[in-house]
Amino acid sequence: MAYEKELDAAKKAASLAARLCQKVQKALLQSDVQSKSDKSPVTVADYGSQAVVSLLLQRELSSEPFSLVAEEDSADLRKDGSQDILERITKLVNDTLANEDPLKPIDSALSTEDLLRAIDCGTSEGGPNGRHWVLDPIDGTKGFLRGDQYAVALGLLEEGKVVLGVLACPNLPLASIAGDNNKDSSSSSSSEEKGCLFYATIGSGTYMQPLDSKTDPVKVHVSSVENPEDASFFESFEGAHSLHDLSSSIANKLGVKAPPVRIDSQAKYGALSRGDGAIYLRFPHKGYREKIWDHVAGAIVVTEAGGIVTDAGGKALDFSKGKYLDLDTGIIVANEKLMPLLLKAVRDSIAEQEKEASSL
Ligand SMILES: Nc1ncnc2c1ncn2[C@@H]1O[C@H](COP(=O)(O)OS(=O)(=O)O)[C@@H](OP(=O)(O)O)[C@H]1O
Ligand SMILES: [Mg+2]
Ligand SMILES: [Mg+2]
Ligand SMILES: [Mg+2]
């Protein structure tokens, strides 16, 4: 299989980073209200996760040139007054790496300077040439803070095309979340087993396995629903991230009956890839520029499971332009059967909205 070595490294890196995030989220949720409103634990997990992925990929793929486009950088950690937090992150990363394989002797603990360097390996600009890893160390930071859904999202671009993607979703139930409308999908089902690892390489399909066990992976497929009346749709939890009114107008036009399922992060792409819902609608407010790390891993996880991911005009997403995606209005996802109907509903709803706006 193509990209076997890269996939092994990516799964290992994302799983280990997810373990670090779980540890921080647990501490965060157990802590008192005052320290919950202190955003530093989130920062710790974002930086820690990025460092772990950066270090693991470089270690496992040491014979290859390494380029990483990632969300975080070390600028704030290098400022005066950041020494305490920097030491905390360094300890967290060292502890995580030491627990990775208790049988393997640890080389030597990382210094704070090593940690800053590992984070800053993620400052590549990406682009159309060569290989670039793309990382969102915690996607859905707001969900992470609430104790809800988040994902460690890692992808690989080759000559501007996504060839591999891994999504670690520590709070996503292994069972379907279909019908979990507006429920808190992490805490509503506390007895259910949670933690999913989705992965895909180009031409080989999408697989899911439990995040914390060696259980065999299963191949997943997007929903085969053909009648929009039977479809349900996902959208951002945060209203500030996507225009919920526009989504509901599109859903009405299509005849979708079920209310939206709102969950944070690229866990939406993971859930769609196994058919928990049939449609994803994402319409950021005007002027917002989408970053590639918010979609690279999720897009291949869905397309390899048989889905289609486009902008609101029906164009495939172009990940070759650097850190940003140039988009027509929004991002939509559906299976092949629903996509033509969805595109028409999107076009009609946007036209209606523009007409209303111009008559004001
Ligand atoms: N204004 C605005 N509009 C659209 N998108 C935005 C906006 N602000 C942030 N972001 C990006 O959204 C990422 C979070 O993913 P979701 O929107 O799917 O989830 S959620 O609604 O936040 O729960 C989130 O990713 P993280 O920063 O990694 O959490 C952001 O990159
Ligand atoms: Mg993100
Ligand atoms: Mg993030
Ligand atoms: Mg962020």
Side-chain angles (χ1 to χ4, degrees):
M1 190 191 70
Y3 302 106
E4 203 171 342
K5 193 170 42 128
E6 289 80 2
L7 179 62
D8 278 349
K11 283 170 68 181
K12 205 169 176 182
S15 306
L16 199 62
R19 208 170 302 154
L20 177 149
C21 297
Q22 281 170 297
K23 198 169 156 186
V24 177
Q25 196 183 50
K26 209 166 152 200
L28 179 70
L29 296 175
Q30 280 166 355
S31 63
D32 59 355
V33 178
Q34 208 176 352
S35 59
K36 262 192 204 169
S37 61
D38 161 18
K39 298 289 191 292
S40 63
V42 178
T43 320
V44 164
D46 284 344
Y47 289 127
S49 169
Q50 181 157 323
V52 164
V53 172
S54 166
L55 290 161
L56 258 260
L57 288 180
Q58 289 181 79
R59 193 183 72 188
E60 300 284 316
L61 306 166
S62 53
S63 57
E64 296 175 19
F66 185 66
S67 166
L68 175 66
V69 186
E71 185 179 1
E72 312 303 341
D73 65 54
S74 76
D76 285 347
L77 292 177
R78 291 180 189 273
K79 287 183 184 151
D80 285 350
S82 304
Q83 195 57 28
D84 281 359
I85 197 166
L86 180 56
E87 277 165 19
R88 252 174 83 197
I89 302 164
T90 308
K91 179 168 182 334
L92 188 65
V93 169
N94 276 324
D95 289 349
T96 306
L97 293 174
N99 287 330
E100 178 204 357
D101 185 351
L103 299 176
K104 254 196 214 166
I106 322 149
D107 310 342
S108 60
L110 301 165
S111 65
T112 51
E113 192 48 43
D114 296 332
L115 184 103
L116 292 169
R117 249 185 273 124
I119 292 169
D120 279 340
C121 284
T123 50
S124 165
E125 291 291 323
N129 304 122
R131 273 189 178 192
H132 305 281
W133 289 96
V134 180
L135 171 69
D136 195 333
I138 293 185
D139 182 44
T141 315
K142 294 200 169 138
F144 178 84
L145 250 184
R146 262 186 264 110
D148 285 347
Q149 297 301 329
Y150 66 97
V152 177
L154 177 62
L156 179 62
L157 297 180
E158 176 118 55
E159 308 303 321
K161 296 262 181 303
V162 195
V163 294
L164 178 163
V166 175
L167 278 182
C169 306
N171 285 340
L172 190 66
L174 283 162
S176 172
I177 57 162
D180 279 10
N181 311 92
N182 293 334
K183 263 199 306 190
D184 165 353
S185 49
S186 74
S187 55
S188 61
S189 45
S190 53
S191 59
E192 273 176 30
E193 234 189 299
K194 286 176 210 151
C196 302
L197 185 69
F198 297 91
Y199 61 90
T201 50
I202 190 104
S204 300
T206 299
Y207 293 82
M208 181 188 85
Q209 66 186 96
L211 191 52
D212 286 324
S213 88
K214 297 269 179 281
T215 316
D216 284 343
V218 290
K219 197 162 190 174
V220 293
H221 298 278
V222 295
S223 160
S224 55
V225 162
E226 293 183 18
N227 183 351
E229 285 194 15
D230 303 327
S232 68
F233 74 96
F234 287 109
E235 63 182 351
S236 293
F237 186 93
E238 297 288 331
H241 291 183
S242 190
L243 300 163
H244 287 169
D245 286 354
L246 182 54
S247 299
S248 71
S249 143
I250 294 164
N252 279 339
K253 275 197 198 309
L254 268 174
V256 169
K257 292 217 169 84
V261 180
R262 291 181 179 146
I263 61 168
D264 308 271
S265 86
Q266 286 173 71
K268 289 187 276 295
Y269 284 108
L272 272 178
S273 77
R274 63 182 190 192
D276 292 9
I279 295 168
Y280 174 16
L281 301 172
R282 182 179 181 88
F283 295 98
H285 290 264
K286 255 202 154 31
Y288 180 77
R289 294 180 79 193
E290 293 277 11
K291 272 58 123 242
I292 58 171
W293 52 74
D294 281 324
H295 302 284
V296 162
I300 190 168
V301 160
V302 162
T303 53
E304 281 299 321
I308 303 178
V309 182
T310 72
D311 70 11
K315 259 192 12 217
L317 305 187
D318 181 357
F319 293 107
S320 74
K321 297 259 169 73
K323 286 185 178 176
Y324 294 98
L325 282 167
D326 279 335
L327 285 180
D328 176 358
T329 317
I331 294 177
I332 57 176
V333 183
N335 65 25
E336 283 175 21
K337 284 276 162 37
L338 290 172
M339 194 47 118
L341 301 169
L342 176 59
L343 273 168
K344 182 171 176 346
V346 168
R347 243 188 341 260
D348 292 352
S349 292
I350 290 176
E352 238 168 54
Q353 208 189 38
E354 280 167 359
K355 206 167 140 200
E356 267 170 37
S358 67
S359 68
L360 287 179

